[in-house]
Every structure is written in C-alpha cells, then in structure tokens.
Amino acid sequence: MLAKPILLVGAGALGSAILKGMRVAGHVAPQDVIILDLTPGEEAQKYAGLGARLNPGPEVWSEAWTVILAVKPQSWRGAAQILSGNLNTGATLVSVMAGVRTDDLSAVFAPLSVARVMPTTGVATGKGVASLFSGDGKALQAASDLFAPMASTVVLDHEGLIDAATAVSGSGPAYVYAFASALESAGLATGLTPADAKTLARATLISAVNLLDATGEEPEDLIRKVASPGGTTEAALKVLRKEGKGLDELIKAAVLAAQKRSQELG
C-alpha cells in the first residue's frame, strides 16, 4: 500500500501530470498531498483548493512517507540542499528526473530509499507509461504503488536501461505529436481545408492507437489489414519505409539521439 502523505517537489509539466493522474486514478486524496513549487501552476492551485497543502513550512515536509522529486535535472542538488534535514528519514524518494542516477541520489538523500521512474505525461489521463528501477525492494514497491494505478509499468533489470526507456517512452509522446503535425500538414498539401486536415489527422491517429491497444495485435499484422496489394496504402508505405532512409531509420536515429542525451545528462 502506498505510504502517505506524499510530498511532491516540483509541479511543472511532469509534476502537474502526476497530480492529475492521481486525481483521475483516485488512489491519492488531495488531503494526502504536500506540494512544493516556487511558481505553482493551475493544477497545483487546484489541488490546494481541494485540500492539499501548498508550499507549507519545513516542519510539514517531514510528515511525508513518499517524496516525489520532479524538479529539472540540473536543479536537483539545489532542491536537495533546501530539503536537507527536513525529510522523514524513513521515507522513500521517487525521482522522475532524466539522467540523475540512484547512486547520486542515495548519497545526497541517505538514509531514504530511492527509486527512479521515467513516466510519460500521459499519466495525467490515467493511461500513461512508466519505467521503474530500484535496487531497493521497498523503494521499487513504493514506485509501483504510486504509478501502477495511472500507467502501464515496466520494471527495468538495470539502471542503464533508464536511458533507453527515456528515449522510447519518456520522449516518445513528442514523436507521435510530431507525426500528427506532419500528417496534418500533408493533408493541407492534398487540398483539404485546415479544419478538415486537423480533424482527419488527429482522429486517424487516435483511432489507430485505440485499435492497437484494444486488439493487442502486432503492428505489422494491422498494417497488412490496411495495406491492400497495389493500393493507396501500399504506395504510401513504399515512401515511408524506403530502404536506408525511411521511417524506421529516422525513428531509430531519433531514439538513439535521445538516449545519448539522457546519458549525457547523467
């Protein structure tokens, strides 16, 4: 069972998505949340209105049994200095920061147990994705209890795979949005109105992803069901999957670039 109260440090884009996800999933009540953020946004303010404690004094921070560290990776040591000496020594720290290793976190936040999670902002809808790692069983369970109600979770065998998970799923939503934007622009080139191109591009992606989710079929099997021999889809796929410089190679290069940057941040 998830240990509460929960202290969320950083309520930016990802922190706010986690707040929304907890509200949608219903496994954490606002009254069980403490939020620290220098410039709290709409979601943090909404939580405060529902009973969360927003930016209370240090005497309150030590009440938390689960601490979510959601600040920017380059800012975490500064946040650690502020938190130092004000946390429950029996608490679990769950970091959602890219590139910051558990060894570094453990060295600074000892004796707290530490887990790393790479979630997508889709947790805001209760249908996100989260990759989990920890060498500590207690911390891994805490991370699972926190994210499983609002995400499909994967437990990674070793920490080095966090960079790969970041590149595939952490950054992955942006790849999908980029494809949606490109498909919409292509629709304009065919003569569709901006409104129709927008509707068709977005609804097509949503429909396709829902089918992939609902059927559990392999992508290649679904492609074969759409791409009739000699038809329009086959003509398009010959362009998208041109050997040596098609979509597969482009996505692979993008993921490897994201993985490399995640490694550099660490």
Side-chain angles (χ1 to χ4, degrees):
M1 181 177 292
L2 182 60
K4 308 166 189 175
I6 291 173
L7 173 62
L8 174 67
V9 184
L14 186 51
S16 292
I18 292 170
L19 287 174
K20 289 179 182 178
M22 291 191 299
R23 186 155 47 83
V24 169
H27 63 306
V28 180
Q31 293 81 1
D32 288 326
V33 179
I34 305 163
I35 304 170
L36 298 183
D37 192 279
L38 293 175
T39 55
E42 180 182 350
E43 190 61 30
Q45 297 283 3
K46 183 179 294 184
Y47 249 74
L50 294 172
R53 287 173 283 182
L54 178 60
N55 292 328
E59 68 280 358
V60 174
W61 308 350
S62 62
E63 294 180 21
W65 286 96
T66 302
V67 179
I68 306 171
L69 194 56
V71 298
K72 295 184 183 300
Q74 61 268 31
S75 304
W76 80 269
R77 290 188 182 275
Q81 289 182 336
I82 296 172
L83 296 168
S84 179
N86 293 307
L87 297 179
N88 183 340
T89 56
T92 297
L93 179 76
V94 179
S95 167
V96 297
M97 301 179 298
V100 183
R101 308 297 173 185
T102 54
D103 285 349
D104 293 329
L105 292 165
S106 294
V108 172
F109 285 99
L112 277 66
S113 55
V114 175
R116 285 184 66 190
V117 178
M118 179 47 57
T120 65
T121 51
V123 296
T125 67
K127 290 182 69 67
V129 183
S131 301
L132 286 56
F133 171 79
S134 180
D136 182 295
K138 173 192 171 185
L140 188 61
Q141 187 62 55
S144 178
D145 290 343
L146 177 62
F147 281 96
M150 53 184 174
S152 296
T153 60
V154 173
V155 177
L156 302 175
D157 291 335
H158 60 85
E159 190 166 9
L161 291 173
I162 284 279
D163 296 316
T166 299
V168 173
S169 69
S171 301
Y175 314 155
V176 177
Y177 305 146
F179 187 86
S181 178
L183 188 58
E184 187 176 327
S185 295
L188 292 175
T190 68
L192 291 170
T193 66
D196 288 347
K198 178 178 179 179
T199 297
L200 289 171
R202 297 185 184 199
T204 298
L205 279 176
I206 292 168
S207 174
V209 171
N210 282 338
L211 188 62
L212 182 66
D213 182 42
T215 65
E217 293 188 57
E218 294 298 320
E220 291 298 327
D221 292 333
L222 291 172
I223 287 173
R224 281 191 287 271
K225 290 180 179 181
V226 179
S228 301
T232 58
T233 306
E234 185 180 70
L237 287 173
K238 285 181 179 178
V239 176
L240 282 174
R241 309 188 105 175
K242 188 173 183 179
E243 187 174 353
K245 50 182 178 180
L247 186 63
D248 289 356
E249 288 80 11
L250 185 60
I251 293 298
K252 181 179 178 181
V255 168
L256 290 175
Q259 181 185 32
K260 181 174 183 290
R261 181 56 180 154
S262 180
Q263 293 167 339
E264 291 170 349
L265 288 171

